[in-house]
Amino acid sequence: MNDHYIIKAESITKTYHSGRTIIKAIDNVSINIAKGDFLMITGRNGSGKSTLLHQLALLDSPDSGAIHIEEKNTTKLHEKGRMEFRLLRLGYIFQEYALIAELTAIENVMLPAMMLESIKKAKRKAFELMEKLGLEEKVNRLPSELSGGEQQKVAIARALINRPKIIFADEPTANLDTIASKDVLDIFKYLNQKESITIVMITHEPEELAYAKSKVQLSDGRIVS
């Protein structure tokens, strides 16, 4: 396999059943993503963007086909192996932030690291990340006490805490105003260019495509461009 590619997906298909109707959310898609790419996935609602992202990010399994990440055939991993792979190598940022309401900002950031190391070390790493993102005065706030932009920065810090090679972002700016959206995209640009993190992101916003190094457009579960 070509070492140039960090993700190589071959002929992946994902089908859902709605009553008697069979819906091919992803229809025989193959895609190679280069190390250090900033790939944006576009397409209309229902085109299969989130389904594709969930397959590539190991949040779901395709019905057929294979997904290699860093030369490992992840489709052959059992659930425990998939969970460990996600924890050690992949980071996730969602449209709805996915923060735990009862935990403070720093506790949310610490969570993935606490599965691998001591609470003390996880807390130190979490604070350092939050400081880099300008959140040092928000560490003990609950998510409900933060703005949307601040919540998404907490989610970014959480995604970064185990030093992932790839970050998957599903419409991370959809609930943010223009200024907060630019903030998030500038952070992604920095992570991609300075930290060499590969980013795979879904967007609906045409102006955000300027940040991408490459783009794919989906329609009816297939890549059309």
Side-chain angles (χ1 to χ4, degrees):
M1 190 176 135
N2 190 336
D3 189 50
H4 176 61
Y5 297 115
I6 197 165
I7 301 175
K8 198 172 170 94
E10 298 162 344
S11 306
I12 56 171
T13 295
K14 185 70 182 180
T15 306
Y16 295 108
H17 295 265
S18 177
R20 292 184 177 182
T21 311
I22 295 171
I23 300 158
K24 270 194 178 175
I26 293 294
D27 187 4
N28 196 35
V29 166
S30 296
I31 183 170
N32 295 334
I33 301 173
K35 280 183 182 175
D37 200 355
F38 189 157
L39 172 72
M40 287 210 187
I41 302 171
T42 66
R44 292 182 177 181
N45 281 340
S47 61
K49 300 185 301 297
S50 288
T51 305
L52 176 60
L53 187 90
H54 283 193
Q55 310 309 307
L56 299 176
L58 309 190
L59 295 170
D60 195 6
S61 301
D63 299 330
S64 59
I67 298 165
H68 292 82
I69 301 179
E70 291 191 299
E71 303 198 34
K72 189 170 193 73
N73 186 349
T74 61
T75 26
K76 291 188 172 178
L77 291 172
H78 295 298
E79 189 47 48
K80 189 181 177 205
R82 287 165 68 83
M83 194 173 78
E84 286 173 359
F85 194 96
R86 290 196 301 261
L87 189 64
L88 291 168
R89 305 196 198 191
L90 311 177
Y92 303 95
I93 298 158
F94 303 100
Q95 184 179 332
E96 304 291 345
Y97 321 129
L99 301 177
I100 297 171
E102 299 78 17
L103 298 184
T104 64
I106 197 165
E107 288 167 343
N108 269 284
V109 176
M110 287 164 63
L111 268 182
M114 284 167 60
M115 298 181 195
L116 302 172
E117 55 204 13
S118 71
I119 291 174
K120 189 177 176 183
K121 195 172 178 187
K123 191 167 189 175
R124 190 179 74 240
K125 282 169 69 174
F127 184 80
E128 284 169 5
L129 279 168
M130 293 182 77
E131 204 172 27
K132 276 186 184 173
L133 293 170
L135 295 168
E136 63 272 21
E137 291 180 9
K138 311 286 183 179
V139 289
N140 295 317
R141 300 273 177 93
L142 292 170
S144 59
E145 299 172 308
L146 301 172
S147 69
E150 288 166 346
Q151 288 186 67
Q152 196 59 295
K153 284 182 183 179
V154 170
I156 292 168
R158 180 185 57 193
L160 290 171
I161 198 156
N162 287 337
R163 300 183 66 83
K165 302 284 175 59
I166 309 165
I167 284 180
F168 295 96
D170 192 348
E171 292 193 58
T173 61
N175 295 327
L176 304 179
D177 62 30
T178 310
I179 293 166
S181 294
K182 185 180 183 306
D183 258 5
V184 166
L185 287 162
D186 285 342
I187 291 166
F188 284 179
K189 185 178 179 180
Y190 174 85
L191 294 170
N192 179 249
Q193 292 184 354
K194 304 296 183 190
E195 308 271 345
S196 301
I197 294 174
T198 303
I199 294 175
V200 182
M201 173 179 154
I202 292 174
T203 184
H204 262 132
E205 306 299 330
E207 64 272 15
E208 294 186 350
L209 294 173
Y211 284 83
K213 288 181 180 173
S214 58
K215 306 155 199 163
V216 295
Q217 185 181 350
L218 259 64
S219 179
D220 299 325
R222 288 174 172 262
I223 291 174
V224 291
S225 69

